[in-house]
Amino acid sequence: MFGPVEQSGAVAVATFGRARARPLVPPPAVEAPPLRAPRRSDHPLARRWDGLCRRIEGWAHRADLTPDLAEDVGSARWFRGLGTLLGLALAAAACWPDFAPLQAAPLMPIDDAAQKEFAAHSLRPFVQGATSGRHFAASPDLVMRLEYAPERPEIQLAATLGENDTVQRMLQRAGVGLGDAGQASALLGSAVALTEIQPGTRFDITLGARTSPADPRPLQAIKVRPRFDLALNIARSGGGLGLSRTAIPVDTQPLRLRGVVGASLYRSARAAGAPPGTVQDYLRTVDEVLPFEEILPTDEFDLVVSYKRAADGEGQAGDLQYAAILRDGRPRLQLLRWGNEGAFESLDALTGAQGAGSDGALLTPVAGHVTSGFGLRRHPILGFVRMHAGIDFAAPWGSPVYAATDGRVSFAGWHGGHGNYVRLDHGGGIGTGYGHMSRIAVGPGMAVRRGQVIGYVGSTGLSTGPHLHYELYRGGQVVDPASVRFLARRQAADPGQIAAFKARLSQMVALKPTAALR
């Protein structure tokens, strides 16, 4: 039999055709809550009240007025609970408070003087033009109208040339009349090309008194410094404007800054006194040869920048001349601005000793293992067999990609399925290509050295994950990079050039470090 079978003192539970007896445990007795005063009292009224309360409680328990409305929906028990809910809601709505405005005291009569005093403390004076609560605008019958207000005989102001702005428009915005602005712009253009004036250049302008309120103020003088070594002064004399030039003597000398790298190379160089532009040039120069990951916090940075100091005390930082990283007091990297192109060279690169290998093989472009070789293969994305014109190296995202040997960048940018792609021309018909990079660190036309960072590993283009696609070209045709054992090296410089480079390098190292650039 299925289902429970009643027995004395036990319940038989059917479990798939088999009855299993389980002892019947009576429910625990529920103790009545302790009575509270006044139901605890022995007074006859208290006993009657207690009896009435017990009868009400018993009826409420039997009537089941508050069932769970989520059960037995539509039954009589459910409608009884719904009636209880509606009754409680109506009782609560009947007790809703009534909000009525407060009755204010009636306005007491005031005279005209008091009304004016009250108005002075209200918002009305601001409508009348006052700046505080006790000052009204002037009464028309007590004020004599003037034809024009008196003006200062001279106004001195400063204006700054903005980006993509012209000198004439800037002067007109500052208050200079159209005729004076055009004449002043022509005078400045006769001394220096207006396009050479850098945005942010300050113009000190002096305007004179005007003859009529409708006319613009006449231009009296303009002082500007379009170049670090030149100051121009425009002044009015004899009814016209004249230009005077003042050459400023400038002393140019290299200044050296040195310090510990610490937690941030940028912040350490800035704390040593290097301007932001100089620090950015230094970081860009170092990163082209030595990855930042290989620079330790205990290393030292060393840089030399050309610095101009004018006779009036003004200073201006010039181009970066020398960039180095020192470790334990010895040079880890030394780069010197050299040649007509202004590129940075190292002594090893100049003498041809950098990257010279005994086997003559090309440098591995990334620190990783080969996942796909040269030849036919099924493309992992396109799904059909086609030529794989290179070698794939698996490497973590952001790993530096190095130039296989010396060369010049012939292409750097997006290249279809290759994604971010760089191609180097090494001379003699030899070229290499680097694809799927996350970021490119070189530009077209840039000369690179063997082992220089040209980008970072990524997964751009037709790629299933971070890796480097490496190609090699001979005579414009792709060949297997593993089969080429040719290293294209540029010829070493002549002994005279090497001697001059060493002498210049010794001058930079001999400079005494300065505290800051001011």
Side-chain angles (χ1 to χ4, degrees), residues 64-65 67-84:
D64 192 13
L65 298 177
D68 189 356
L69 295 181
E71 300 177 355
D72 300 334
V73 179
S75 63
R77 179 172 175 267
W78 184 85
F79 279 107
R80 185 168 58 251
L82 180 61
T84 303

PDB file of all heavy atoms in Angstrom, residues 64-65 67-84:
ATOM      1  N   ASP A  64      -8.630  31.889  12.376  1.00  0.00           N
ATOM      2  CA  ASP A  64      -7.499  31.999  11.429  1.00  0.00           C
ATOM      3  C   ASP A  64      -7.683  33.222  10.527  1.00  0.00           C
ATOM      4  O   ASP A  64      -7.855  33.115   9.306  1.00  0.00           O
ATOM      5  CB  ASP A  64      -7.389  30.724  10.600  1.00  0.00           C
ATOM      6  CG  ASP A  64      -6.069  30.687   9.829  1.00  0.00           C
ATOM      7  OD1 ASP A  64      -5.164  31.516  10.133  1.00  0.00           O
ATOM      8  OD2 ASP A  64      -5.932  29.843   8.933  1.00  0.00           O
ATOM      9  N   LEU A  65      -7.668  34.411  11.145  1.00  0.00           N
ATOM     10  CA  LEU A  65      -7.940  35.658  10.416  1.00  0.00           C
ATOM     11  C   LEU A  65      -6.758  36.129   9.564  1.00  0.00           C
ATOM     12  O   LEU A  65      -6.946  36.960   8.669  1.00  0.00           O
ATOM     13  CB  LEU A  65      -8.332  36.761  11.415  1.00  0.00           C
ATOM     14  CG  LEU A  65      -9.611  36.507  12.229  1.00  0.00           C
ATOM     15  CD1 LEU A  65      -9.830  37.643  13.218  1.00  0.00           C
ATOM     16  CD2 LEU A  65     -10.813  36.345  11.325  1.00  0.00           C
ATOM     17  N   PRO A  67      -4.253  34.324   7.492  1.00  0.00           N
ATOM     18  CA  PRO A  67      -3.528  33.250   6.793  1.00  0.00           C
ATOM     19  C   PRO A  67      -2.508  33.840   5.810  1.00  0.00           C
ATOM     20  O   PRO A  67      -2.518  35.031   5.500  1.00  0.00           O
ATOM     21  CB  PRO A  67      -4.643  32.510   6.068  1.00  0.00           C
ATOM     22  CG  PRO A  67      -5.661  33.574   5.792  1.00  0.00           C
ATOM     23  CD  PRO A  67      -5.630  34.495   6.976  1.00  0.00           C
ATOM     24  N   ASP A  68      -1.646  32.992   5.305  1.00  0.00           N
ATOM     25  CA  ASP A  68      -0.658  33.380   4.289  1.00  0.00           C
ATOM     26  C   ASP A  68      -1.370  33.491   2.947  1.00  0.00           C
ATOM     27  O   ASP A  68      -1.901  32.508   2.416  1.00  0.00           O
ATOM     28  CB  ASP A  68       0.448  32.334   4.219  1.00  0.00           C
ATOM     29  CG  ASP A  68       1.594  32.796   3.335  1.00  0.00           C
ATOM     30  OD1 ASP A  68       1.477  33.885   2.743  1.00  0.00           O
ATOM     31  OD2 ASP A  68       2.595  32.070   3.238  1.00  0.00           O
ATOM     32  N   LEU A  69      -1.407  34.723   2.393  1.00  0.00           N
ATOM     33  CA  LEU A  69      -2.125  34.949   1.138  1.00  0.00           C
ATOM     34  C   LEU A  69      -1.429  34.320  -0.064  1.00  0.00           C
ATOM     35  O   LEU A  69      -1.971  34.336  -1.170  1.00  0.00           O
ATOM     36  CB  LEU A  69      -2.301  36.443   0.905  1.00  0.00           C
ATOM     37  CG  LEU A  69      -3.191  37.178   1.924  1.00  0.00           C
ATOM     38  CD1 LEU A  69      -3.309  38.643   1.558  1.00  0.00           C
ATOM     39  CD2 LEU A  69      -4.578  36.544   1.992  1.00  0.00           C
ATOM     40  N   ALA A  70      -0.221  33.803   0.131  1.00  0.00           N
ATOM     41  CA  ALA A  70       0.465  33.122  -0.969  1.00  0.00           C
ATOM     42  C   ALA A  70       0.028  31.669  -1.093  1.00  0.00           C
ATOM     43  O   ALA A  70       0.465  30.977  -2.031  1.00  0.00           O
ATOM     44  CB  ALA A  70       1.975  33.193  -0.765  1.00  0.00           C
ATOM     45  N   GLU A  71      -0.812  31.178  -0.181  1.00  0.00           N
ATOM     46  CA  GLU A  71      -1.276  29.792  -0.194  1.00  0.00           C
ATOM     47  C   GLU A  71      -2.792  29.747  -0.389  1.00  0.00           C
ATOM     48  O   GLU A  71      -3.517  30.639   0.048  1.00  0.00           O
ATOM     49  CB  GLU A  71      -0.895  29.080   1.105  1.00  0.00           C
ATOM     50  CG  GLU A  71       0.618  29.035   1.363  1.00  0.00           C
ATOM     51  CD  GLU A  71       0.930  28.387   2.694  1.00  0.00           C
ATOM     52  OE1 GLU A  71      -0.033  28.076   3.424  1.00  0.00           O
ATOM     53  OE2 GLU A  71       2.129  28.199   2.999  1.00  0.00           O
ATOM     54  N   ASP A  72      -3.291  28.675  -0.994  1.00  0.00           N
ATOM     55  CA  ASP A  72      -4.726  28.420  -1.176  1.00  0.00           C
ATOM     56  C   ASP A  72      -5.452  29.614  -1.782  1.00  0.00           C
ATOM     57  O   ASP A  72      -6.456  30.111  -1.263  1.00  0.00           O
ATOM     58  CB  ASP A  72      -5.384  28.035   0.162  1.00  0.00           C
ATOM     59  CG  ASP A  72      -4.768  26.786   0.755  1.00  0.00           C
ATOM     60  OD1 ASP A  72      -4.238  25.965  -0.034  1.00  0.00           O
ATOM     61  OD2 ASP A  72      -4.785  26.640   1.993  1.00  0.00           O
ATOM     62  N   VAL A  73      -4.867  30.154  -2.869  1.00  0.00           N
ATOM     63  CA  VAL A  73      -5.459  31.336  -3.493  1.00  0.00           C
ATOM     64  C   VAL A  73      -6.851  30.990  -4.028  1.00  0.00           C
ATOM     65  O   VAL A  73      -7.038  29.985  -4.729  1.00  0.00           O
ATOM     66  CB  VAL A  73      -4.562  31.855  -4.629  1.00  0.00           C
ATOM     67  CG1 VAL A  73      -5.197  33.080  -5.297  1.00  0.00           C
ATOM     68  CG2 VAL A  73      -3.179  32.187  -4.097  1.00  0.00           C
ATOM     69  N   GLY A  74      -7.852  31.819  -3.651  1.00  0.00           N
ATOM     70  CA  GLY A  74      -9.219  31.636  -4.110  1.00  0.00           C
ATOM     71  C   GLY A  74     -10.092  30.848  -3.156  1.00  0.00           C
ATOM     72  O   GLY A  74     -11.309  30.755  -3.363  1.00  0.00           O
ATOM     73  N   SER A  75      -9.517  30.284  -2.105  1.00  0.00           N
ATOM     74  CA  SER A  75     -10.311  29.526  -1.137  1.00  0.00           C
ATOM     75  C   SER A  75     -11.004  30.468  -0.158  1.00  0.00           C
ATOM     76  O   SER A  75     -10.725  31.669  -0.110  1.00  0.00           O
ATOM     77  CB  SER A  75      -9.419  28.529  -0.391  1.00  0.00           C
ATOM     78  OG  SER A  75      -8.436  29.225   0.349  1.00  0.00           O
ATOM     79  N   ALA A  76     -11.910  29.878   0.651  1.00  0.00           N
ATOM     80  CA  ALA A  76     -12.599  30.693   1.668  1.00  0.00           C
ATOM     81  C   ALA A  76     -11.603  31.235   2.683  1.00  0.00           C
ATOM     82  O   ALA A  76     -11.718  32.368   3.157  1.00  0.00           O
ATOM     83  CB  ALA A  76     -13.688  29.844   2.340  1.00  0.00           C
ATOM     84  N   ARG A  77     -10.623  30.423   3.015  1.00  0.00           N
ATOM     85  CA  ARG A  77      -9.596  30.877   3.976  1.00  0.00           C
ATOM     86  C   ARG A  77      -8.805  32.051   3.396  1.00  0.00           C
ATOM     87  O   ARG A  77      -8.472  33.002   4.104  1.00  0.00           O
ATOM     88  CB  ARG A  77      -8.678  29.699   4.274  1.00  0.00           C
ATOM     89  CG  ARG A  77      -7.534  29.998   5.236  1.00  0.00           C
ATOM     90  CD  ARG A  77      -6.817  28.705   5.602  1.00  0.00           C
ATOM     91  NE  ARG A  77      -5.656  28.966   6.413  1.00  0.00           N
ATOM     92  CZ  ARG A  77      -4.416  29.128   5.934  1.00  0.00           C
ATOM     93  NH1 ARG A  77      -4.221  29.072   4.631  1.00  0.00           N
ATOM     94  NH2 ARG A  77      -3.423  29.338   6.747  1.00  0.00           N
ATOM     95  N   TRP A  78      -8.551  31.981   2.098  1.00  0.00           N
ATOM     96  CA  TRP A  78      -7.792  33.081   1.469  1.00  0.00           C
ATOM     97  C   TRP A  78      -8.602  34.375   1.461  1.00  0.00           C
ATOM     98  O   TRP A  78      -8.092  35.435   1.736  1.00  0.00           O
ATOM     99  CB  TRP A  78      -7.430  32.656   0.048  1.00  0.00           C
ATOM    100  CG  TRP A  78      -6.565  33.662  -0.660  1.00  0.00           C
ATOM    101  CD1 TRP A  78      -5.223  33.784  -0.599  1.00  0.00           C
ATOM    102  CD2 TRP A  78      -7.023  34.690  -1.547  1.00  0.00           C
ATOM    103  NE1 TRP A  78      -4.781  34.810  -1.370  1.00  0.00           N
ATOM    104  CE2 TRP A  78      -5.890  35.402  -1.975  1.00  0.00           C
ATOM    105  CE3 TRP A  78      -8.289  35.079  -2.009  1.00  0.00           C
ATOM    106  CZ2 TRP A  78      -5.969  36.462  -2.842  1.00  0.00           C
ATOM    107  CZ3 TRP A  78      -8.344  36.141  -2.880  1.00  0.00           C
ATOM    108  CH2 TRP A  78      -7.213  36.833  -3.288  1.00  0.00           C
ATOM    109  N   PHE A  79      -9.901  34.295   1.122  1.00  0.00           N
ATOM    110  CA  PHE A  79     -10.739  35.492   1.124  1.00  0.00           C
ATOM    111  C   PHE A  79     -10.897  36.057   2.533  1.00  0.00           C
ATOM    112  O   PHE A  79     -11.031  37.270   2.719  1.00  0.00           O
ATOM    113  CB  PHE A  79     -12.111  35.167   0.528  1.00  0.00           C
ATOM    114  CG  PHE A  79     -12.100  35.158  -0.978  1.00  0.00           C
ATOM    115  CD1 PHE A  79     -12.172  33.966  -1.692  1.00  0.00           C
ATOM    116  CD2 PHE A  79     -12.012  36.350  -1.676  1.00  0.00           C
ATOM    117  CE1 PHE A  79     -12.167  33.966  -3.059  1.00  0.00           C
ATOM    118  CE2 PHE A  79     -12.001  36.347  -3.066  1.00  0.00           C
ATOM    119  CZ  PHE A  79     -12.080  35.157  -3.766  1.00  0.00           C
ATOM    120  N   ARG A  80     -10.897  35.169   3.554  1.00  0.00           N
ATOM    121  CA  ARG A  80     -10.960  35.665   4.927  1.00  0.00           C
ATOM    122  C   ARG A  80      -9.707  36.487   5.268  1.00  0.00           C
ATOM    123  O   ARG A  80      -9.791  37.530   5.900  1.00  0.00           O
ATOM    124  CB  ARG A  80     -11.119  34.479   5.882  1.00  0.00           C
ATOM    125  CG  ARG A  80     -11.309  34.910   7.340  1.00  0.00           C
ATOM    126  CD  ARG A  80     -11.750  33.760   8.235  1.00  0.00           C
ATOM    127  NE  ARG A  80     -10.806  32.651   8.217  1.00  0.00           N
ATOM    128  CZ  ARG A  80     -11.016  31.476   7.641  1.00  0.00           C
ATOM    129  NH1 ARG A  80     -12.160  31.252   7.020  1.00  0.00           N
ATOM    130  NH2 ARG A  80     -10.119  30.499   7.666  1.00  0.00           N
ATOM    131  N   GLY A  81      -8.545  36.012   4.835  1.00  0.00           N
ATOM    132  CA  GLY A  81      -7.323  36.786   5.057  1.00  0.00           C
ATOM    133  C   GLY A  81      -7.317  38.090   4.277  1.00  0.00           C
ATOM    134  O   GLY A  81      -6.830  39.119   4.751  1.00  0.00           O
ATOM    135  N   LEU A  82      -7.878  38.064   3.033  1.00  0.00           N
ATOM    136  CA  LEU A  82      -7.958  39.300   2.247  1.00  0.00           C
ATOM    137  C   LEU A  82      -8.862  40.308   2.926  1.00  0.00           C
ATOM    138  O   LEU A  82      -8.573  41.520   2.934  1.00  0.00           O
ATOM    139  CB  LEU A  82      -8.466  38.974   0.838  1.00  0.00           C
ATOM    140  CG  LEU A  82      -8.604  40.163  -0.113  1.00  0.00           C
ATOM    141  CD1 LEU A  82      -7.258  40.850  -0.342  1.00  0.00           C
ATOM    142  CD2 LEU A  82      -9.199  39.713  -1.446  1.00  0.00           C
ATOM    143  N   GLY A  83      -9.972  39.813   3.524  1.00  0.00           N
ATOM    144  CA  GLY A  83     -10.847  40.735   4.249  1.00  0.00           C
ATOM    145  C   GLY A  83     -10.148  41.365   5.440  1.00  0.00           C
ATOM    146  O   GLY A  83     -10.322  42.549   5.744  1.00  0.00           O
ATOM    147  N   THR A  84      -9.340  40.574   6.155  1.00  0.00           N
ATOM    148  CA  THR A  84      -8.560  41.134   7.274  1.00  0.00           C
ATOM    149  C   THR A  84      -7.609  42.220   6.788  1.00  0.00           C
ATOM    150  O   THR A  84      -7.475  43.286   7.406  1.00  0.00           O
ATOM    151  CB  THR A  84      -7.783  40.014   7.966  1.00  0.00           C
ATOM    152  OG1 THR A  84      -8.688  38.994   8.399  1.00  0.00           O
ATOM    153  CG2 THR A  84      -7.030  40.551   9.168  1.00  0.00           C
TER     154      THR A  84
END
